[in-house]
Structure formats: C-alpha cells, structure tokens
Amino acid sequence: MLQTSVARLYEKNRERLRLTWLDEPVGGDAPLKRDAPEAAALVGHLNLIHPNRVQVVGRFEEAHFVALPRAERVALVEKLFDAMPAAIVIAEGLVAPAELLASTAKRGIAMFSTPEPAATVIDVLRRHLAKVLAESTERHGVFMDVLGVGVLITGESGVGKSELGLELISRGHGLVADDVVEIARLGPTTLEGRCPPMLKDFLEVRGLGFLNIRTIFGETAIRPKMNLRLIVNLDKPSKTAATPAERLPLTALFEDILGITVSKVVIPVAAGRNLAVLVEAAIRNYILKLRGTDSTSDFLARQQAALDADVGEDPAIPFKVPRA
C-alpha cells in the first residue's frame, strides 16, 4: 500500500509553505495512504461531508466558524475529529480557534500554521502527495529527452541501447536515466520517468564503463524528469526467427504501463543503420501524428486514389481494388 506520514509531509513542504507546528509537534506518525483511486483527494478546504485527510482552514472557513454560537462550534469540532483527519493546516496566518486547538492537543492530531493562502497550500500539498503516493514501476532501458519528447529506449541486453543514448546526447538531446527507469503514474494519462538516485548522471557503455554525462557534456545534457510519451524498442532480428520483422507496419503499436497506453515503435537493428537518425525520425513522425498528420495514412490514400483512377480509365478491369 502506498503511504507516507504527516511528519514527512511537513518536512518536505516546510520551507515552501513556511509551515510551523502549532502547540506541541504531535501526530507526526499519522499515515497518509492511497489505497483507492478516490483517495487521491487527500487535501482540501475544511469539509465535513467528504472529509479530507488534511483539512485546510482558510479565511472563509474561519469566518463561518467564528459566527457560530459556542455550542455549535464545539459540535462542529467534534464532527470534524470524528472523521479522523491526519492533520489540520491553518492558512493565511490566521489564529487557530481555541476549541480547535484544544481538541487537536487532546486527540494527538497534528496542526500546522502558514501565512500562505489556503488555495496555495492545497495546490502544493496535492502536487506533493500525487508524486509521493503515485503508483510506480521500474523498466529496464534508457530514458531520453529527444526533441522535447520523453522516449524510453528498450531492447535486449547488449543490443546497443546505451550506445544509442550516448550518440543522442552528443547530438544535443538529454539523458534522464540509464539501465533502470523509475516510472510513476501521476494522473489518468500521465507517466513520469525519473532516474534512481544511485544512477543519477551516469551512463554505462560497454568497453568504456561508467560515464558521468553531466561532467562530460555539461548541465544541459541531463534532465531530472520527463513525461513518457513514446517507447522505442530496438529489435535485433534473429537469423533463425520464423517470421522476419515487419518492414511496413500498417497498424500502430502500443504498450500498457500502469494502465496507461503508450505509443511504441520497433526499430530493427542491423549493421550500418544509423539508429540515432531513425529515432529522431520516429519522434518527428510521432509529433506529426499528434498534430493530425499520419504519413502512412497519407501514402495509402494517395495509392488508393491512383488505383481508383486506373480503374476508371480501363474498362477491362471489372472491379475496384478493395481499400486497405
């Protein structure tokens, strides 16, 4: 089960949000879990109907609370804590209501204060928890930034993935990770790839060993993260293979990662092929498809138009060629 703690949430966002503990630093061990898809909404404004694990009190919530009679304020606080929040954040530099402060101390629930607006607090904490609690997996390959597109280069061991990555770096593209790529699902259609801390900046090339890409090529050759958009699989055809690699793929290829479909291209590896140029061409073709231009479909349409024209001119042909 994916989870973190209130204490880690505080430490990671203390400087960004200028967080401080109110009263005693209690409740830091309280867990923040993501055990269901709807659990993504862990942080939000004070909500008693659909309670969040981290309740944020802003100026509007404070005004509503203060306007209530004391008995109703006490009842509201009891209802709030019956929902078992992990933490409460008092935003905009407001003074915590005495009833709220007393109950948090009694129940051992963390309470923080920040001068930042409530909307900012919610946005920052949601982004942080989305990354920390994201579903993740690891893939073997080289993850690159090629023409602004996150590309995962895969293939069998020894096929030349790292050498291809090195050539792409020398052509001005960026390295994210080599050998092991950490992939996290940050949204319904978003996969983010990062490098494990141990392998950061390094690329292993057979015969050369480990190369520090940041030191050799400079800061611009390294990317801390990229969204995964395309998988390029290097396929080394076997001489004994029953079926050779498809020369003209007419159907798009995809691969499923963490429930998200990612476009895929298979490039046969052979002596004399410039794989770096082929990868760049595959990326440019992918970008064109995103813009609504499909080269294969355009060619097939042109071919069909030529066949239709030939059928119309030659009465000896009794039927039309079926469309692809």
Side-chain angles (χ1 to χ4, degrees), residues 227-266:
N227 289 342
L228 175 58
R229 299 296 186 189
L230 182 67
I231 297 173
V232 174
N233 181 254
L234 302 183
D235 179 38
K236 194 170 185 178
S238 173
K239 295 181 180 179
T240 60
T243 57
E246 188 176 7
R247 176 172 179 174
L248 184 62
L250 299 179
T251 57
L253 300 178
F254 301 95
E255 184 170 330
D256 183 273
I257 299 180
L258 296 175
I260 296 179
T261 301
V262 183
S263 296
K264 182 177 180 180
V265 174
V266 177

PDB file of all heavy atoms in Angstrom, residues 227-266:
ATOM      1  N   ASN A 227       8.028  13.341 -18.952  1.00  0.00           N
ATOM      2  CA  ASN A 227       6.819  12.546 -19.137  1.00  0.00           C
ATOM      3  C   ASN A 227       7.048  11.540 -20.258  1.00  0.00           C
ATOM      4  O   ASN A 227       7.538  11.905 -21.333  1.00  0.00           O
ATOM      5  CB  ASN A 227       5.620  13.432 -19.462  1.00  0.00           C
ATOM      6  CG  ASN A 227       5.153  14.243 -18.275  1.00  0.00           C
ATOM      7  OD1 ASN A 227       5.485  13.943 -17.130  1.00  0.00           O
ATOM      8  ND2 ASN A 227       4.387  15.284 -18.523  1.00  0.00           N
ATOM      9  N   LEU A 228       6.715  10.287 -20.009  1.00  0.00           N
ATOM     10  CA  LEU A 228       6.917   9.231 -21.002  1.00  0.00           C
ATOM     11  C   LEU A 228       5.849   9.336 -22.080  1.00  0.00           C
ATOM     12  O   LEU A 228       4.652   9.264 -21.792  1.00  0.00           O
ATOM     13  CB  LEU A 228       6.862   7.865 -20.321  1.00  0.00           C
ATOM     14  CG  LEU A 228       6.927   6.636 -21.239  1.00  0.00           C
ATOM     15  CD1 LEU A 228       8.206   6.657 -22.067  1.00  0.00           C
ATOM     16  CD2 LEU A 228       6.823   5.362 -20.423  1.00  0.00           C
ATOM     17  N   ARG A 229       6.293   9.502 -23.330  1.00  0.00           N
ATOM     18  CA  ARG A 229       5.366   9.641 -24.449  1.00  0.00           C
ATOM     19  C   ARG A 229       5.515   8.533 -25.487  1.00  0.00           C
ATOM     20  O   ARG A 229       4.559   8.194 -26.176  1.00  0.00           O
ATOM     21  CB  ARG A 229       5.592  10.993 -25.152  1.00  0.00           C
ATOM     22  CG  ARG A 229       5.364  12.204 -24.266  1.00  0.00           C
ATOM     23  CD  ARG A 229       3.937  12.315 -23.808  1.00  0.00           C
ATOM     24  NE  ARG A 229       3.679  13.547 -23.081  1.00  0.00           N
ATOM     25  CZ  ARG A 229       2.554  13.806 -22.432  1.00  0.00           C
ATOM     26  NH1 ARG A 229       1.591  12.900 -22.419  1.00  0.00           N
ATOM     27  NH2 ARG A 229       2.390  14.946 -21.781  1.00  0.00           N
ATOM     28  N   LEU A 230       6.720   7.985 -25.609  1.00  0.00           N
ATOM     29  CA  LEU A 230       6.967   7.024 -26.682  1.00  0.00           C
ATOM     30  C   LEU A 230       7.987   5.980 -26.234  1.00  0.00           C
ATOM     31  O   LEU A 230       8.929   6.299 -25.515  1.00  0.00           O
ATOM     32  CB  LEU A 230       7.489   7.756 -27.931  1.00  0.00           C
ATOM     33  CG  LEU A 230       7.753   6.912 -29.172  1.00  0.00           C
ATOM     34  CD1 LEU A 230       6.446   6.366 -29.746  1.00  0.00           C
ATOM     35  CD2 LEU A 230       8.485   7.723 -30.239  1.00  0.00           C
ATOM     36  N   ILE A 231       7.761   4.736 -26.655  1.00  0.00           N
ATOM     37  CA  ILE A 231       8.704   3.644 -26.412  1.00  0.00           C
ATOM     38  C   ILE A 231       9.312   3.249 -27.748  1.00  0.00           C
ATOM     39  O   ILE A 231       8.598   3.000 -28.721  1.00  0.00           O
ATOM     40  CB  ILE A 231       7.999   2.438 -25.776  1.00  0.00           C
ATOM     41  CG1 ILE A 231       7.425   2.815 -24.407  1.00  0.00           C
ATOM     42  CG2 ILE A 231       8.960   1.260 -25.642  1.00  0.00           C
ATOM     43  CD1 ILE A 231       6.579   1.733 -23.782  1.00  0.00           C
ATOM     44  N   VAL A 232      10.637   3.214 -27.796  1.00  0.00           N
ATOM     45  CA  VAL A 232      11.358   2.767 -28.988  1.00  0.00           C
ATOM     46  C   VAL A 232      12.060   1.468 -28.626  1.00  0.00           C
ATOM     47  O   VAL A 232      12.975   1.458 -27.808  1.00  0.00           O
ATOM     48  CB  VAL A 232      12.374   3.811 -29.478  1.00  0.00           C
ATOM     49  CG1 VAL A 232      13.193   3.247 -30.630  1.00  0.00           C
ATOM     50  CG2 VAL A 232      11.661   5.086 -29.922  1.00  0.00           C
ATOM     51  N   ASN A 233      11.610   0.369 -29.226  1.00  0.00           N
ATOM     52  CA  ASN A 233      12.194  -0.941 -28.949  1.00  0.00           C
ATOM     53  C   ASN A 233      13.191  -1.310 -30.040  1.00  0.00           C
ATOM     54  O   ASN A 233      12.839  -1.339 -31.215  1.00  0.00           O
ATOM     55  CB  ASN A 233      11.094  -1.993 -28.843  1.00  0.00           C
ATOM     56  CG  ASN A 233      11.651  -3.373 -28.525  1.00  0.00           C
ATOM     57  OD1 ASN A 233      11.707  -4.241 -29.388  1.00  0.00           O
ATOM     58  ND2 ASN A 233      12.054  -3.572 -27.286  1.00  0.00           N
ATOM     59  N   LEU A 234      14.433  -1.551 -29.626  1.00  0.00           N
ATOM     60  CA  LEU A 234      15.466  -1.976 -30.568  1.00  0.00           C
ATOM     61  C   LEU A 234      15.398  -3.490 -30.707  1.00  0.00           C
ATOM     62  O   LEU A 234      15.606  -4.227 -29.734  1.00  0.00           O
ATOM     63  CB  LEU A 234      16.851  -1.542 -30.077  1.00  0.00           C
ATOM     64  CG  LEU A 234      17.052  -0.043 -29.850  1.00  0.00           C
ATOM     65  CD1 LEU A 234      18.492   0.247 -29.442  1.00  0.00           C
ATOM     66  CD2 LEU A 234      16.686   0.759 -31.087  1.00  0.00           C
ATOM     67  N   ASP A 235      15.105  -3.954 -31.900  1.00  0.00           N
ATOM     68  CA  ASP A 235      14.918  -5.386 -32.150  1.00  0.00           C
ATOM     69  C   ASP A 235      16.037  -5.899 -33.044  1.00  0.00           C
ATOM     70  O   ASP A 235      16.188  -5.426 -34.178  1.00  0.00           O
ATOM     71  CB  ASP A 235      13.551  -5.622 -32.810  1.00  0.00           C
ATOM     72  CG  ASP A 235      13.316  -7.083 -33.109  1.00  0.00           C
ATOM     73  OD1 ASP A 235      13.718  -7.930 -32.299  1.00  0.00           O
ATOM     74  OD2 ASP A 235      12.721  -7.385 -34.164  1.00  0.00           O
ATOM     75  N   LYS A 236      16.794  -6.846 -32.519  1.00  0.00           N
ATOM     76  CA  LYS A 236      17.871  -7.447 -33.302  1.00  0.00           C
ATOM     77  C   LYS A 236      17.347  -8.738 -33.907  1.00  0.00           C
ATOM     78  O   LYS A 236      17.246  -9.768 -33.215  1.00  0.00           O
ATOM     79  CB  LYS A 236      19.086  -7.724 -32.422  1.00  0.00           C
ATOM     80  CG  LYS A 236      20.346  -8.021 -33.207  1.00  0.00           C
ATOM     81  CD  LYS A 236      21.565  -8.057 -32.293  1.00  0.00           C
ATOM     82  CE  LYS A 236      22.841  -8.231 -33.106  1.00  0.00           C
ATOM     83  NZ  LYS A 236      24.038  -8.216 -32.234  1.00  0.00           N
ATOM     84  N   PRO A 237      16.982  -8.711 -35.201  1.00  0.00           N
ATOM     85  CA  PRO A 237      16.362  -9.900 -35.812  1.00  0.00           C
ATOM     86  C   PRO A 237      17.283 -11.102 -35.741  1.00  0.00           C
ATOM     87  O   PRO A 237      18.495 -11.009 -35.984  1.00  0.00           O
ATOM     88  CB  PRO A 237      16.108  -9.462 -37.258  1.00  0.00           C
ATOM     89  CG  PRO A 237      16.117  -7.969 -37.223  1.00  0.00           C
ATOM     90  CD  PRO A 237      17.096  -7.610 -36.145  1.00  0.00           C
ATOM     91  N   SER A 238      16.712 -12.248 -35.401  1.00  0.00           N
ATOM     92  CA  SER A 238      17.479 -13.492 -35.344  1.00  0.00           C
ATOM     93  C   SER A 238      17.430 -14.180 -36.698  1.00  0.00           C
ATOM     94  O   SER A 238      16.409 -14.177 -37.383  1.00  0.00           O
ATOM     95  CB  SER A 238      16.903 -14.411 -34.266  1.00  0.00           C
ATOM     96  OG  SER A 238      17.517 -15.677 -34.301  1.00  0.00           O
ATOM     97  N   LYS A 239      18.566 -14.779 -37.078  1.00  0.00           N
ATOM     98  CA  LYS A 239      18.621 -15.479 -38.369  1.00  0.00           C
ATOM     99  C   LYS A 239      17.720 -16.702 -38.373  1.00  0.00           C
ATOM    100  O   LYS A 239      17.297 -17.165 -39.434  1.00  0.00           O
ATOM    101  CB  LYS A 239      20.061 -15.889 -38.669  1.00  0.00           C
ATOM    102  CG  LYS A 239      21.004 -14.709 -38.866  1.00  0.00           C
ATOM    103  CD  LYS A 239      22.405 -15.183 -39.185  1.00  0.00           C
ATOM    104  CE  LYS A 239      23.353 -13.995 -39.386  1.00  0.00           C
ATOM    105  NZ  LYS A 239      24.746 -14.431 -39.689  1.00  0.00           N
ATOM    106  N   THR A 240      17.437 -17.215 -37.182  1.00  0.00           N
ATOM    107  CA  THR A 240      16.591 -18.417 -37.087  1.00  0.00           C
ATOM    108  C   THR A 240      15.130 -18.080 -36.791  1.00  0.00           C
ATOM    109  O   THR A 240      14.330 -18.967 -36.559  1.00  0.00           O
ATOM    110  CB  THR A 240      17.128 -19.333 -35.978  1.00  0.00           C
ATOM    111  OG1 THR A 240      17.110 -18.623 -34.731  1.00  0.00           O
ATOM    112  CG2 THR A 240      18.547 -19.774 -36.290  1.00  0.00           C
ATOM    113  N   ALA A 241      14.808 -16.773 -36.788  1.00  0.00           N
ATOM    114  CA  ALA A 241      13.441 -16.370 -36.466  1.00  0.00           C
ATOM    115  C   ALA A 241      12.468 -16.877 -37.527  1.00  0.00           C
ATOM    116  O   ALA A 241      12.757 -16.837 -38.724  1.00  0.00           O
ATOM    117  CB  ALA A 241      13.341 -14.864 -36.348  1.00  0.00           C
ATOM    118  N   ALA A 242      11.327 -17.371 -37.089  1.00  0.00           N
ATOM    119  CA  ALA A 242      10.330 -17.917 -38.018  1.00  0.00           C
ATOM    120  C   ALA A 242       9.723 -16.828 -38.879  1.00  0.00           C
ATOM    121  O   ALA A 242       9.464 -17.021 -40.064  1.00  0.00           O
ATOM    122  CB  ALA A 242       9.243 -18.653 -37.244  1.00  0.00           C
ATOM    123  N   THR A 243       9.485 -15.662 -38.280  1.00  0.00           N
ATOM    124  CA  THR A 243       8.882 -14.553 -39.021  1.00  0.00           C
ATOM    125  C   THR A 243       9.809 -13.343 -38.945  1.00  0.00           C
ATOM    126  O   THR A 243      10.193 -12.923 -37.843  1.00  0.00           O
ATOM    127  CB  THR A 243       7.515 -14.175 -38.438  1.00  0.00           C
ATOM    128  OG1 THR A 243       7.673 -13.859 -37.046  1.00  0.00           O
ATOM    129  CG2 THR A 243       6.540 -15.335 -38.581  1.00  0.00           C
ATOM    130  N   PRO A 244      10.204 -12.775 -40.077  1.00  0.00           N
ATOM    131  CA  PRO A 244      11.066 -11.599 -40.054  1.00  0.00           C
ATOM    132  C   PRO A 244      10.331 -10.367 -39.545  1.00  0.00           C
ATOM    133  O   PRO A 244       9.105 -10.345 -39.478  1.00  0.00           O
ATOM    134  CB  PRO A 244      11.461 -11.427 -41.536  1.00  0.00           C
ATOM    135  CG  PRO A 244      10.316 -12.051 -42.292  1.00  0.00           C
ATOM    136  CD  PRO A 244       9.848 -13.190 -41.447  1.00  0.00           C
ATOM    137  N   ALA A 245      11.098  -9.357 -39.146  1.00  0.00           N
ATOM    138  CA  ALA A 245      10.494  -8.110 -38.654  1.00  0.00           C
ATOM    139  C   ALA A 245       9.662  -7.465 -39.765  1.00  0.00           C
ATOM    140  O   ALA A 245      10.021  -7.492 -40.947  1.00  0.00           O
ATOM    141  CB  ALA A 245      11.586  -7.153 -38.197  1.00  0.00           C
ATOM    142  N   GLU A 246       8.533  -6.902 -39.364  1.00  0.00           N
ATOM    143  CA  GLU A 246       7.625  -6.278 -40.325  1.00  0.00           C
ATOM    144  C   GLU A 246       8.271  -5.026 -40.905  1.00  0.00           C
ATOM    145  O   GLU A 246       8.671  -4.129 -40.169  1.00  0.00           O
ATOM    146  CB  GLU A 246       6.306  -5.924 -39.638  1.00  0.00           C
ATOM    147  CG  GLU A 246       5.235  -5.460 -40.596  1.00  0.00           C
ATOM    148  CD  GLU A 246       3.910  -5.220 -39.893  1.00  0.00           C
ATOM    149  OE1 GLU A 246       3.882  -5.286 -38.651  1.00  0.00           O
ATOM    150  OE2 GLU A 246       2.922  -4.960 -40.597  1.00  0.00           O
ATOM    151  N   ARG A 247       8.382  -4.991 -42.229  1.00  0.00           N
ATOM    152  CA  ARG A 247       9.053  -3.859 -42.877  1.00  0.00           C
ATOM    153  C   ARG A 247       8.165  -2.628 -42.921  1.00  0.00           C
ATOM    154  O   ARG A 247       8.621  -1.509 -42.711  1.00  0.00           O
ATOM    155  CB  ARG A 247       9.462  -4.254 -44.301  1.00  0.00           C
ATOM    156  CG  ARG A 247      10.082  -3.100 -45.078  1.00  0.00           C
ATOM    157  CD  ARG A 247      10.655  -3.551 -46.385  1.00  0.00           C
ATOM    158  NE  ARG A 247      11.221  -2.438 -47.137  1.00  0.00           N
ATOM    159  CZ  ARG A 247      11.901  -2.560 -48.271  1.00  0.00           C
ATOM    160  NH1 ARG A 247      12.115  -3.765 -48.786  1.00  0.00           N
ATOM    161  NH2 ARG A 247      12.371  -1.498 -48.889  1.00  0.00           N
ATOM    162  N   LEU A 248       6.883  -2.829 -43.197  1.00  0.00           N
ATOM    163  CA  LEU A 248       5.960  -1.701 -43.315  1.00  0.00           C
ATOM    164  C   LEU A 248       4.790  -1.915 -42.357  1.00  0.00           C
ATOM    165  O   LEU A 248       3.749  -2.466 -42.751  1.00  0.00           O
ATOM    166  CB  LEU A 248       5.460  -1.580 -44.760  1.00  0.00           C
ATOM    167  CG  LEU A 248       4.557  -0.380 -45.072  1.00  0.00           C
ATOM    168  CD1 LEU A 248       5.294   0.926 -44.834  1.00  0.00           C
ATOM    169  CD2 LEU A 248       4.043  -0.457 -46.506  1.00  0.00           C
ATOM    170  N   PRO A 249       4.937  -1.517 -41.100  1.00  0.00           N
ATOM    171  CA  PRO A 249       3.836  -1.696 -40.135  1.00  0.00           C
ATOM    172  C   PRO A 249       2.675  -0.768 -40.466  1.00  0.00           C
ATOM    173  O   PRO A 249       2.822   0.447 -40.508  1.00  0.00           O
ATOM    174  CB  PRO A 249       4.491  -1.334 -38.799  1.00  0.00           C
ATOM    175  CG  PRO A 249       5.617  -0.417 -39.162  1.00  0.00           C
ATOM    176  CD  PRO A 249       6.108  -0.864 -40.500  1.00  0.00           C
ATOM    177  N   LEU A 250       1.516  -1.379 -40.714  1.00  0.00           N
ATOM    178  CA  LEU A 250       0.336  -0.602 -41.075  1.00  0.00           C
ATOM    179  C   LEU A 250      -0.556  -0.310 -39.877  1.00  0.00           C
ATOM    180  O   LEU A 250      -1.480   0.501 -39.978  1.00  0.00           O
ATOM    181  CB  LEU A 250      -0.472  -1.348 -42.147  1.00  0.00           C
ATOM    182  CG  LEU A 250       0.267  -1.605 -43.472  1.00  0.00           C
ATOM    183  CD1 LEU A 250      -0.634  -2.367 -44.423  1.00  0.00           C
ATOM    184  CD2 LEU A 250       0.720  -0.287 -44.096  1.00  0.00           C
ATOM    185  N   THR A 251      -0.299  -0.979 -38.763  1.00  0.00           N
ATOM    186  CA  THR A 251      -1.088  -0.753 -37.552  1.00  0.00           C
ATOM    187  C   THR A 251      -0.182  -0.182 -36.463  1.00  0.00           C
ATOM    188  O   THR A 251       0.966  -0.587 -36.315  1.00  0.00           O
ATOM    189  CB  THR A 251      -1.723  -2.062 -37.054  1.00  0.00           C
ATOM    190  OG1 THR A 251      -0.700  -3.038 -36.821  1.00  0.00           O
ATOM    191  CG2 THR A 251      -2.705  -2.596 -38.075  1.00  0.00           C
ATOM    192  N   ALA A 252      -0.719   0.754 -35.715  1.00  0.00           N
ATOM    193  CA  ALA A 252       0.043   1.385 -34.636  1.00  0.00           C
ATOM    194  C   ALA A 252       0.278   0.393 -33.505  1.00  0.00           C
ATOM    195  O   ALA A 252      -0.563  -0.463 -33.211  1.00  0.00           O
ATOM    196  CB  ALA A 252      -0.698   2.621 -34.127  1.00  0.00           C
ATOM    197  N   LEU A 253       1.436   0.514 -32.877  1.00  0.00           N
ATOM    198  CA  LEU A 253       1.796  -0.343 -31.752  1.00  0.00           C
ATOM    199  C   LEU A 253       1.687   0.441 -30.458  1.00  0.00           C
ATOM    200  O   LEU A 253       1.978   1.639 -30.420  1.00  0.00           O
ATOM    201  CB  LEU A 253       3.219  -0.873 -31.919  1.00  0.00           C
ATOM    202  CG  LEU A 253       3.497  -1.713 -33.165  1.00  0.00           C
ATOM    203  CD1 LEU A 253       4.966  -2.124 -33.204  1.00  0.00           C
ATOM    204  CD2 LEU A 253       2.603  -2.946 -33.194  1.00  0.00           C
ATOM    205  N   PHE A 254       1.293  -0.257 -29.394  1.00  0.00           N
ATOM    206  CA  PHE A 254       1.162   0.372 -28.078  1.00  0.00           C
ATOM    207  C   PHE A 254       1.650  -0.590 -27.008  1.00  0.00           C
ATOM    208  O   PHE A 254       1.716  -1.800 -27.216  1.00  0.00           O
ATOM    209  CB  PHE A 254      -0.296   0.762 -27.801  1.00  0.00           C
ATOM    210  CG  PHE A 254      -0.884   1.714 -28.795  1.00  0.00           C
ATOM    211  CD1 PHE A 254      -1.631   1.253 -29.870  1.00  0.00           C
ATOM    212  CD2 PHE A 254      -0.673   3.086 -28.665  1.00  0.00           C
ATOM    213  CE1 PHE A 254      -2.166   2.121 -30.794  1.00  0.00           C
ATOM    214  CE2 PHE A 254      -1.220   3.970 -29.586  1.00  0.00           C
ATOM    215  CZ  PHE A 254      -1.964   3.487 -30.649  1.00  0.00           C
ATOM    216  N   GLU A 255       1.967  -0.029 -25.845  1.00  0.00           N
ATOM    217  CA  GLU A 255       2.340  -0.836 -24.685  1.00  0.00           C
ATOM    218  C   GLU A 255       1.669  -0.242 -23.453  1.00  0.00           C
ATOM    219  O   GLU A 255       1.600   0.981 -23.305  1.00  0.00           O
ATOM    220  CB  GLU A 255       3.860  -0.863 -24.506  1.00  0.00           C
ATOM    221  CG  GLU A 255       4.316  -1.771 -23.374  1.00  0.00           C
ATOM    222  CD  GLU A 255       5.820  -1.986 -23.354  1.00  0.00           C
ATOM    223  OE1 GLU A 255       6.436  -1.952 -24.441  1.00  0.00           O
ATOM    224  OE2 GLU A 255       6.377  -2.178 -22.261  1.00  0.00           O
ATOM    225  N   ASP A 256       1.188  -1.117 -22.607  1.00  0.00           N
ATOM    226  CA  ASP A 256       0.491  -0.680 -21.408  1.00  0.00           C
ATOM    227  C   ASP A 256       1.457  -0.608 -20.232  1.00  0.00           C
ATOM    228  O   ASP A 256       2.148  -1.579 -19.925  1.00  0.00           O
ATOM    229  CB  ASP A 256      -0.650  -1.648 -21.070  1.00  0.00           C
ATOM    230  CG  ASP A 256      -1.456  -1.178 -19.867  1.00  0.00           C
ATOM    231  OD1 ASP A 256      -1.068  -1.512 -18.727  1.00  0.00           O
ATOM    232  OD2 ASP A 256      -2.458  -0.472 -20.058  1.00  0.00           O
ATOM    233  N   ILE A 257       1.511   0.566 -19.585  1.00  0.00           N
ATOM    234  CA  ILE A 257       2.323   0.761 -18.387  1.00  0.00           C
ATOM    235  C   ILE A 257       1.445   1.394 -17.321  1.00  0.00           C
ATOM    236  O   ILE A 257       0.926   2.498 -17.513  1.00  0.00           O
ATOM    237  CB  ILE A 257       3.555   1.647 -18.663  1.00  0.00           C
ATOM    238  CG1 ILE A 257       4.462   1.004 -19.714  1.00  0.00           C
ATOM    239  CG2 ILE A 257       4.336   1.905 -17.383  1.00  0.00           C
ATOM    240  CD1 ILE A 257       5.689   1.826 -20.039  1.00  0.00           C
ATOM    241  N   LEU A 258       1.232   0.684 -16.232  1.00  0.00           N
ATOM    242  CA  LEU A 258       0.417   1.171 -15.114  1.00  0.00           C
ATOM    243  C   LEU A 258      -0.976   1.599 -15.562  1.00  0.00           C
ATOM    244  O   LEU A 258      -1.539   2.572 -15.076  1.00  0.00           O
ATOM    245  CB  LEU A 258       1.118   2.335 -14.397  1.00  0.00           C
ATOM    246  CG  LEU A 258       2.449   1.993 -13.712  1.00  0.00           C
ATOM    247  CD1 LEU A 258       3.089   3.266 -13.156  1.00  0.00           C
ATOM    248  CD2 LEU A 258       2.248   0.984 -12.601  1.00  0.00           C
ATOM    249  N   GLY A 259      -1.515   0.875 -16.536  1.00  0.00           N
ATOM    250  CA  GLY A 259      -2.862   1.159 -17.007  1.00  0.00           C
ATOM    251  C   GLY A 259      -2.961   2.276 -18.021  1.00  0.00           C
ATOM    252  O   GLY A 259      -4.066   2.632 -18.430  1.00  0.00           O
ATOM    253  N   ILE A 260      -1.828   2.833 -18.448  1.00  0.00           N
ATOM    254  CA  ILE A 260      -1.820   3.907 -19.442  1.00  0.00           C
ATOM    255  C   ILE A 260      -1.196   3.372 -20.730  1.00  0.00           C
ATOM    256  O   ILE A 260      -0.145   2.729 -20.705  1.00  0.00           O
ATOM    257  CB  ILE A 260      -1.038   5.132 -18.932  1.00  0.00           C
ATOM    258  CG1 ILE A 260      -1.747   5.731 -17.711  1.00  0.00           C
ATOM    259  CG2 ILE A 260      -0.896   6.189 -20.029  1.00  0.00           C
ATOM    260  CD1 ILE A 260      -1.033   6.926 -17.119  1.00  0.00           C
ATOM    261  N   THR A 261      -1.852   3.638 -21.845  1.00  0.00           N
ATOM    262  CA  THR A 261      -1.374   3.168 -23.146  1.00  0.00           C
ATOM    263  C   THR A 261      -0.331   4.132 -23.701  1.00  0.00           C
ATOM    264  O   THR A 261      -0.584   5.332 -23.827  1.00  0.00           O
ATOM    265  CB  THR A 261      -2.543   3.043 -24.137  1.00  0.00           C
ATOM    266  OG1 THR A 261      -3.510   2.131 -23.604  1.00  0.00           O
ATOM    267  CG2 THR A 261      -2.062   2.526 -25.478  1.00  0.00           C
ATOM    268  N   VAL A 262       0.842   3.589 -24.040  1.00  0.00           N
ATOM    269  CA  VAL A 262       1.951   4.390 -24.556  1.00  0.00           C
ATOM    270  C   VAL A 262       2.272   3.936 -25.983  1.00  0.00           C
ATOM    271  O   VAL A 262       2.359   2.732 -26.250  1.00  0.00           O
ATOM    272  CB  VAL A 262       3.208   4.253 -23.673  1.00  0.00           C
ATOM    273  CG1 VAL A 262       4.325   5.149 -24.191  1.00  0.00           C
ATOM    274  CG2 VAL A 262       2.879   4.582 -22.217  1.00  0.00           C
ATOM    275  N   SER A 263       2.436   4.890 -26.894  1.00  0.00           N
ATOM    276  CA  SER A 263       2.783   4.561 -28.278  1.00  0.00           C
ATOM    277  C   SER A 263       4.146   3.880 -28.334  1.00  0.00           C
ATOM    278  O   SER A 263       5.048   4.196 -27.555  1.00  0.00           O
ATOM    279  CB  SER A 263       2.806   5.827 -29.131  1.00  0.00           C
ATOM    280  OG  SER A 263       1.529   6.418 -29.199  1.00  0.00           O
ATOM    281  N   LYS A 264       4.281   2.962 -29.290  1.00  0.00           N
ATOM    282  CA  LYS A 264       5.512   2.173 -29.373  1.00  0.00           C
ATOM    283  C   LYS A 264       5.965   2.040 -30.823  1.00  0.00           C
ATOM    284  O   LYS A 264       5.132   1.918 -31.727  1.00  0.00           O
ATOM    285  CB  LYS A 264       5.272   0.787 -28.764  1.00  0.00           C
ATOM    286  CG  LYS A 264       6.486  -0.130 -28.750  1.00  0.00           C
ATOM    287  CD  LYS A 264       6.150  -1.444 -28.052  1.00  0.00           C
ATOM    288  CE  LYS A 264       7.337  -2.377 -28.014  1.00  0.00           C
ATOM    289  NZ  LYS A 264       7.003  -3.658 -27.317  1.00  0.00           N
ATOM    290  N   VAL A 265       7.275   2.074 -31.021  1.00  0.00           N
ATOM    291  CA  VAL A 265       7.875   1.892 -32.336  1.00  0.00           C
ATOM    292  C   VAL A 265       8.953   0.821 -32.211  1.00  0.00           C
ATOM    293  O   VAL A 265       9.730   0.832 -31.249  1.00  0.00           O
ATOM    294  CB  VAL A 265       8.500   3.202 -32.861  1.00  0.00           C
ATOM    295  CG1 VAL A 265       9.241   2.956 -34.166  1.00  0.00           C
ATOM    296  CG2 VAL A 265       7.436   4.268 -33.050  1.00  0.00           C
ATOM    297  N   VAL A 266       8.993  -0.101 -33.156  1.00  0.00           N
ATOM    298  CA  VAL A 266      10.018  -1.147 -33.175  1.00  0.00           C
ATOM    299  C   VAL A 266      10.982  -0.855 -34.321  1.00  0.00           C
ATOM    300  O   VAL A 266      10.567  -0.748 -35.479  1.00  0.00           O
ATOM    301  CB  VAL A 266       9.395  -2.547 -33.342  1.00  0.00           C
ATOM    302  CG1 VAL A 266      10.494  -3.598 -33.440  1.00  0.00           C
ATOM    303  CG2 VAL A 266       8.466  -2.850 -32.173  1.00  0.00           C
TER     304      VAL A 266
END
